[in-house]
Amino acid sequence: MSYRTYQKRTAALAFAAALAGSAVLMAALAAEADVVDVNYQCKTPIGDKSAVSPIDIKSVKSGSGYKLTMSFQKGVSSSPVELGKGAMNPSAVIKLGGADSGTVAVSGPANSAAIPADTPIKINDLSGTYTPKKTGKVTFTAGVLTIKALGTTTTCTPGNNPKPSLTLDVTAGSGGGSGTSGSTQSGTDTGSGLPQTGPEDSAIALGTLGGTVLLAGAAGALWLTRRNQAVRR
């Protein structure tokens, strides 16, 4: 095989590797989604109220399942009186769709500081555990939010049929699979360093894979070129 043929073949290999890396990275970026706005319709002790809060649901693989964390970026209700430290306790359900069905209960800590009267109540991150019962793509959508404070209960129901905030490709009984989150990975308690399944981590991991493929192709091209030059000498 001539030197020119070697050059053409190695260049083609390097170009193919670069295309493969780019395709992998673009696939990872395409998997990202926006944080989902949820229009909560709340039944409170003093009447009906409504508020929109962007909702982020993220996942962390944990044993045979996933730890889910539901984050609220805005308050969804308020109280006519001040709520002292520890007076408000939130909980919610996350609806499953796709390959699986049912709900996942999530809850969080009480308020760590007093909440002034007539001020939007900021909900702390709520967490719970999901164990796959079916294999396939499972969606996770914000469900009913419940706020208990001072002996009263406020129930907030999504009124705008929100889209899923998270999609996981899971295997029943193993907890394996990849995740697609509706936002960047933010919030508290990331599972003591366990691998996250949100889009940023997927993009970084797949982008690294693409870069490795590209470097491998370039290294192969350099090795073949040097080998051919050595033979010609």
Side-chain angles (χ1 to χ4, degrees):
M1 183 180 295
S2 68
Y3 177 70
R4 184 174 295 277
T5 302
Y6 264 113
Q7 282 185 317
K8 290 182 178 180
R9 177 166 295 183
T10 53
L13 288 173
F15 182 69
L19 287 178
S22 298
V24 171
L25 180 58
M26 289 301 293
L29 295 176
E32 295 189 41
D34 294 331
V35 174
V36 177
D37 287 338
V38 178
N39 185 358
Y40 281 103
Q41 304 297 315
C42 300
K43 300 291 185 180
T44 79
I46 58 173
D48 295 347
K49 294 188 176 184
S50 64
V52 176
S53 177
I55 300 296
D56 169 24
I57 299 176
K58 63 179 180 288
S59 68
V60 176
K61 187 178 178 184
S62 179
S64 61
Y66 293 89
K67 177 181 178 180
L68 302 179
T69 301
M70 183 177 184
S71 301
F72 295 76
Q73 296 189 7
K74 292 182 180 179
V76 298
S77 186
S78 62
S79 171
V81 297
E82 179 180 293
L83 297 178
K85 178 181 178 180
M88 186 270 295
N89 292 278
S91 62
V93 295
I94 297 174
K95 297 189 297 182
L96 304 178
D100 210 345
S101 60
T103 60
V104 177
V106 291
S107 59
N111 55 305
S112 58
I115 302 174
D118 300 317
T119 300
I121 298 174
K122 176 66 172 69
I123 306 298
N124 291 323
D125 287 354
L126 309 180
S127 61
T129 300
Y130 166 66
T131 301
K133 296 181 176 61
K134 300 290 182 64
T135 296
K137 291 186 181 295
V138 179
T139 61
F140 300 80
T141 305
V144 176
L145 167 68
T146 301
I147 301 172
K148 293 185 177 181
L150 304 179
T152 67
T153 299
T154 294
T155 302
C156 300
T157 303
N160 61 331
N161 191 28
K163 66 180 182 179
S165 296
L166 174 70
T167 300
L168 291 176
D169 191 356
V170 304
T171 301
S174 70
S178 60
T180 303
S181 177
S183 69
T184 56
Q185 299 302 315
S186 62
T188 59
D189 194 354
T190 56
S192 303
L194 289 171
Q196 297 187 1
T197 57
E200 284 191 344
D201 300 283
S202 299
I204 292 171
L206 291 175
T208 301
L209 172 62
T212 302
V213 172
L214 175 59
L215 289 175
L222 181 60
W223 180 81
L224 287 173
T225 301
R226 288 182 175 177
R227 181 173 180 271
N228 184 69
Q229 289 175 346
V231 170
R232 287 175 59 83
R233 291 174 185 171

